[in-house]
């Protein structure tokens, strides 16, 4: 049966928490907390963890983006988050504009300064290596991490530049050596020093460059690699046995003997830059020490040359020779002189090519006669003066002057004395004509000078006569006297110059063969000025007195004109003052 109270709506009030001390009997346990609040706390905590994890993940993604970790800088350039290519490009751009990188670097060595350009010593930042170093290490969410650039430098170039800039510094290291006085070996003991060391200098520069201050380069101790005891041992085991007796060299063309003196001159027992001694024979010194002995078994090569046929130069091919292979002999010779098994070593002959072959001469471009000049000599071929002229001409015929080289008549003929076949003829000595060996060669000199003059070649040295002789062109003529006066010209053309000479019973001619550089070379003379009359001088009669009629003195100019393309493109002035030739009377 339903009552009225059953029909009333049911109202559920929130349950009120009852203080524990009010409701629990003494000794009773506290009831468990309600389940619903616990689930809510777990849900909030989970959501918080998920939020933090999501944030951390996003931060990690941001931090690890790119090949270079976030926060990494090089020389102030932020490379973080970039790819390797992007970091490399950014660093290259910065280095190209950074004055600290491109400006000369200041170094000091024992108080001496040096300013060196980075490009001259191979000083640079290795961008690839620097980017590689920047890519390593942990990323940073906060702050930055500076990575030092990887610097490279050419230690050899740096060392050479420093030595040139600061000169000698420190104390020199005495290199060890064994020297010979005659056949007696002498030990030179090493001594340590202090000086520039390429590796030490390079390390200091790499560490101090880009710091904004001068780089101090320290000196290093330079200690020779060979000790004093080792030098003494070389004296006893190498030097003394080497010069104890001659060595016989056998070959297919016979034998020769290397005397102990030649061994002493060519055996090298000197320390290198590090002070290390490696005994060896120097082939060039050995060849010089053997000298004429080599002629017994060697056949010299013959260079290609020019010969004149039909008035024109032709090329005569060279020929190969046979030479003792001293470079190959040297190691075997060292074994022989330091062993006790004998003093004989087998040598071999190799082909010796000519120093100049036909192709070399062909490339010189000697194709045409570019100038010729003739003077007339008095007295005929039988006179000593004419014979001297002809002899000098024969010595000069066929002379080849390569581009850029200078020809010296004195050097080419050597001394022109009695032993060389020259005779006495009139020469000017101290303003007087008197007999002298080689008289007349000045006429050949004048002829040669004019031939090279009209070929347009550079005049290096010449001196006109003191007196004027009408068989020569005024001003542009030259005398010569051994060894004080010389005639020199330079081949300033890009082609070879070949000199030809010829004579008749009355004339001497010099021709220059080459390739023409100028269309024409001509001369213009000024009028004579400051003309002076000759004095009359009486001299005692005898062999040293040569009577003359006397000639006036004067001053005159001559201009050498170089023609090209139908016009004068260059002028060269020569001026000379002639003394009056006295009228000498022999009485």
């Amino acid at each position: 049966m339903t009552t009225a109270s059953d029909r009333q709506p049911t109202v559920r009030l929130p349950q009120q928490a009852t203080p524990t001390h009010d409701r629990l009997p003494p000794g009773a346990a506290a009831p468990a907390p309600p389940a619903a609040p616990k689930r809510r706390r777990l849900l909030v905590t989970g959501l918080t963890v998920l939020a933090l994890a999501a944030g951390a993940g996003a931060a990690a993604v941001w931090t690890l983006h790119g090949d270079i970790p976030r926060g990494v800088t090089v020389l102030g350039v932020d490379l973080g988050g970039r790819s390797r290519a992007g970091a490399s490009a950014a660093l290259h751009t910065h280095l190209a504009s950074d004055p600290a990188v491109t400006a000369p670097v200041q170094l000091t060595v024992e108080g001496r300064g040096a300013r060196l350009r980075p490009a001259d010593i191979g000083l640079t930042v290795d961008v690839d290596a620097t980017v590689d170093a920047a890519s390593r290490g942990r990323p940073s969410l906060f702050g930055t991490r500076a990575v030092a650039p990887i610097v490279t430098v050419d230690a050899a170039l740096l060392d050479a530049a420093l030595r040139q800039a600061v000169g000698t510094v420190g104390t020199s290291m005495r290199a060890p050596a064994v020297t010979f006085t005659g056949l007696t070996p002498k030990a030179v003991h090493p001594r340590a020093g202090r000086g520039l060391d390429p590796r030490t200098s390079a390390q200091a520069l790499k560490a101090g460059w880009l710091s904004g201050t001068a780089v101090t380069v320290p000196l290093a101790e330079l200690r020779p690699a060979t000790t004093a005891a080792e030098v003494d041992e070389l004296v006893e085991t190498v030097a003394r046995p080497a010069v104890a007796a001659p060595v016989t060299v056998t070959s297919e063309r016979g034998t020769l003997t290397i005397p102990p003196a030649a061994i002493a001159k060519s055996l090298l027992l000197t320390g290198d830059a590090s002070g290390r001694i490696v005994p060896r024979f120097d082939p060039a010194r050995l060849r010089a020490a053997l000298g004429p002995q080599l002629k017994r078994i060697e056949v010299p090569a013959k260079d290609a040359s020019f010969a004149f046929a039909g008035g024109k130069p032709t090329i005569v091919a060279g020929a190969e020779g046979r030479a003792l292979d001293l470079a190959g002999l040297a190691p075997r010779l060292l074994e022989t002189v330091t062993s006790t098994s004998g003093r004989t070593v087998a040598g071999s002959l190799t082909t010796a090519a000519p120093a100049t072959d036909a192709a070399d001469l062909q490339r010189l471009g000697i194709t045409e006669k570019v100038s010729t000049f003739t003077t007339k000599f008095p007295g005929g071929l039988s006179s000593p003066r004419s014979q001297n002229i002809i002899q000098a001409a024969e010595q000069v015929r066929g002379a080849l002057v390569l581009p850029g080289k200078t020809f010296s008549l004195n050097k080419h003929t050597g001394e022109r004395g009695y032993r060389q076949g020259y005779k006495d003829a009139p020469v000017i000595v101290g303003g007087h004509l008197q007999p002298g060996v080689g008289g007349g060669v000045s006429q050949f000199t004048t002829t040669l000078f004019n031939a090279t003059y009209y070929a347009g070649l550079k005049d290096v040295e010449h001196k006109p006569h003191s007196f004027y002789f009408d068989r020569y062109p005024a001003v542009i003529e030259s005398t010569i006297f051994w060894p004080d006066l010389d005639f020199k010209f330079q081949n300033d053309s890009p082609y070879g110059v070949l000199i030809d000479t010829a004579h008749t019973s009355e004339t001497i001619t010099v021709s220059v063969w080459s390739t023409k550089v100028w269309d024409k070379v001509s001369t213009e003379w000024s009028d004579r000025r400051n003309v002076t009359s000759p004095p009359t001088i009486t001299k005692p009669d005898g062999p040293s007195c040569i009577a003359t009629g006397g000639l006036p003195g004067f001053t005159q100019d001559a201009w050498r004109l170089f023609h090209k393309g139908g016009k004068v493109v260059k002028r060269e002035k020569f001026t000379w003052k002639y003394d009056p030739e006295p009228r000498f009377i022999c009485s």
Side-chain angles (χ1 to χ4, degrees), residues 368-375 446-456 498-502 508-513 516 521:
E368 59 185 326
K369 185 186 294 185
V370 298
S371 70
T372 187
F373 199 81
T374 300
T375 58
T446 289
T447 312
L448 177 61
F449 168 66
N450 274 266
T452 60
Y453 171 97
Y454 284 106
L498 182 67
I499 299 174
D500 186 21
T501 66
I508 181 71
T509 299
V510 176
S511 300
V512 174
W513 289 79
K516 280 192 174 184
V521 177

Side-chain angles (χ1 to χ4, degrees), residues 385-407:
R385 184 178 185 280
S386 300
Q387 292 178 29
N388 289 340
I389 293 172
I390 293 170
Q391 180 156 337
E394 290 294 333
Q395 286 183 269
V396 173
R397 190 178 195 223
L400 177 64
V401 187
L402 299 177
K405 298 300 182 180
T406 297
F407 175 89

Side-chain angles (χ1 to χ4, degrees), residues 211-224:
S211 65
T213 61
V215 178
T216 300
V217 177
L219 299 184
E221 183 183 36
L222 307 177
R223 187 169 294 279

Side-chain angles (χ1 to χ4, degrees), residues 34-189:
K38 179 177 180 180
R39 285 197 298 270
R40 284 197 298 269
R41 285 197 298 269
L42 288 175
L43 177 60
V44 170
T45 302
L47 291 175
T48 302
V49 171
L50 287 176
L52 290 174
V61 170
W62 179 84
T63 303
L64 297 175
H65 177 72
D67 296 323
I68 311 300
R70 294 288 179 175
V72 171
T73 65
V74 175
L75 296 175
V77 180
D78 186 3
L79 303 183
R82 299 177 186 264
S83 65
R84 285 179 178 267
S88 178
L91 196 52
H92 272 297
T93 300
H94 174 77
L95 292 175
S97 60
D98 188 351
V101 175
T102 57
V105 59
Q106 182 73 38
L107 303 100
T108 60
V109 182
E110 289 203 325
R112 303 183 187 182
R115 284 173 59 85
L116 305 179
R117 295 195 317 162
D120 294 340
I121 56 177
L123 180 63
T124 186
V125 173
D126 188 333
V127 173
D128 291 339
T130 302
V131 170
D132 184 61
S135 67
R136 297 191 294 269
R138 294 181 177 181
S140 175
L141 280 173
F142 308 102
T144 60
R145 178 169 61 90
V147 174
I150 307 298
V151 177
T152 62
V153 65
D154 189 314
L157 290 178
L158 171 62
D159 186 62
L162 273 178
R163 292 179 188 275
Q164 183 177 5
V166 303
T168 303
V169 291
T171 56
S172 299
M173 175 187 76
R174 183 167 66 193
V178 177
T179 61
F180 284 93
T181 301
L183 299 181
T184 303
K186 176 184 176 182
V188 179
H189 289 157

